[in-house]
């Protein structure tokens, strides 16, 4: 119903639990519902040969379009650079799947090193790397996100910002961060996302869509179409039909 009211035809499901069981559940939903275009799932990247074998089994499902480890919830900020994880990153890249980087500003220097190490890895930064909007912090997030945009082929999701704002802040407080992401990545590498249902902590699905469409109003039609779906479809290699 939310998709119908906002005019969105298809959506990507993204994992929210670090389990293969949840990923298989999402894949079953994708098989049953036409409005689900693909699934970004989870794999045990520390599982060695067993984890890679399980990943190969997941690859048999055509709805799997990407993998997302929950990096923001892992205590060690250097986790992604561990040598034990490199075979998993190589397997994701070799399979042509996308890597969703669920990171915070503290992870951005590590993410840059990871992407330099794996240039074939097709990556997207979730939620603009969660800038500390409530605290009014701009640096070093702004410089680090700009460097990743300039030095790698990574994409970025325009999502999750509203839940990083303080209770008294408004959409206007998000605008500088949104403008910076657009300036860094451009419409072809920046993709709108809802972050639903986490979004409901601060706003409704329709509220976020309406606010971002007001922000998009000054862009050309081609730029709006890219941000509202075209860039995501190309990144996740989806048919637009």
């Amino acid at each position: 119903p939310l998709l119908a009211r906002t005019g969105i035809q298809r959506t990507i499901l993204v994992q929210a639990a670090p389990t293969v069981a949840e990923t298989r559940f999402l894949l079953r939903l994708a098989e049953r519902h036409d409005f689900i275009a693909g699934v970004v799932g989870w794999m045990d990247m520390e599982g060695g040969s067993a984890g890679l074998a399980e990943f190969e089994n997941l690859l048999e499902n055509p709805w799997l379009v990407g993998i997302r480890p929950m990096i923001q919830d892992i205590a060690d900020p250097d986790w992604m650079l561990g040598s034990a994880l490199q075979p998993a990153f190589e397997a994701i890249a070799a399979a042509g799947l996308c890597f969703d980087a669920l990171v915070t500003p503290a992870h951005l220097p590590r993410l840059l090193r990871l992407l330099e190490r794996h240039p074939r890895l097709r990556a997207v930064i979730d939620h603009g790397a969660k800038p500390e909007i409530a605290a009014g912090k701009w640096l070093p997030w702004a410089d680090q996100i700009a460097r990743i945009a300039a030095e790698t082929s990574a994409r970025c999701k325009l999502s999750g910002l509203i839940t990083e704002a303080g209770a008294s802040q408004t959409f206007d407080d998000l605008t500088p961060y949104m403008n910076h992401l657009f300036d860094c990545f451009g419409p072809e590498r920046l993709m709108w996302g809802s972050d639903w249902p986490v979004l409901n902590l601060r706003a409704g699905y329709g509220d976020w869509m309406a606010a971002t469409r007001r922000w998009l109003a000054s862009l050309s039609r081609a730029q709006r179409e890219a941000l509202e779906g075209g860039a995501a479809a190309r990144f996740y290699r989806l048919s637009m039909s």
Side-chain angles (χ1 to χ4, degrees):
L2 293 173
L3 298 180
R5 287 200 292 271
T6 50
I8 294 177
Q9 296 175 326
R10 305 180 78 197
T11 190
I12 297 282
L13 298 188
V14 182
Q15 65 80 229
T19 69
V20 172
E22 189 222 31
T23 296
R24 293 193 183 281
F25 167 70
L26 297 178
L27 292 169
R28 290 195 298 271
L29 290 179
E31 291 168 356
R32 296 201 301 265
H33 299 285
D34 290 340
F35 65 82
I36 299 174
V39 170
V40 175
W42 182 90
M43 67 177 287
D44 184 1
M45 299 184 70
E46 298 176 289
S49 57
L52 291 174
E54 197 167 46
F55 174 62
E56 290 294 327
N57 288 333
L58 289 175
L59 285 177
E60 295 176 3
N61 192 301
W63 299 106
L64 186 71
V65 297
I67 294 292
R68 183 174 84 163
M70 303 188 76
I71 295 172
Q72 68 170 13
D73 297 331
I74 296 170
D76 181 5
D78 292 318
W79 176 85
M80 72 181 87
L81 298 174
S83 58
L85 301 179
Q86 302 319 303
F89 282 117
E90 291 169 5
I92 295 169
L97 263 62
C98 303
F99 164 57
D100 270 53
L102 180 61
V103 297
T104 68
H107 295 107
L108 290 176
R110 282 92 168 175
L111 181 61
L112 178 60
R113 289 172 59 192
L114 178 73
L115 297 179
E116 290 172 340
R117 184 182 294 175
H118 298 282
R120 290 195 305 153
L121 191 63
R122 298 170 53 244
V124 59
I125 301 170
D126 287 359
H127 314 319
K130 297 195 163 187
E132 298 176 71
I133 300 172
K137 292 189 69 173
W138 183 254
L139 297 175
W141 168 84
D143 288 345
Q144 291 169 346
I145 203 82
R147 186 176 178 189
I148 288 178
E151 298 182 15
T152 77
S153 61
R155 273 65 169 168
C156 188
K157 290 186 182 179
L158 188 70
S159 62
L161 300 178
I162 199 164
T163 49
E164 298 304 314
S168 63
Q169 290 177 307
T170 68
F171 183 78
D172 290 340
D173 295 293
L174 309 182
T175 303
Y177 297 87
M178 296 169 67
N179 290 342
H180 186 61
L181 292 174
F182 181 83
D183 291 341
C184 290
F185 291 94
E188 292 298 327
R189 293 170 61 198
L190 188 64
M191 57 190 80
W192 186 87
S194 69
D195 194 30
W196 184 91
V198 178
L199 171 71
N200 291 335
L201 292 170
R202 290 297 312 276
Y205 195 108
D207 298 326
W208 172 238
M209 173 55 81
T212 48
R213 280 180 170 158
R214 288 194 298 272
W215 175 75
L216 289 167
S218 63
L219 303 182
S220 70
R221 179 177 178 180
Q223 290 174 324
R224 292 196 303 271
E225 288 177 348
L227 270 157
E228 290 188 332
R234 286 185 284 276
F235 177 70
Y236 289 113
R237 296 178 175 172
L238 307 173
S239 169
M240 292 291 283
S241 60

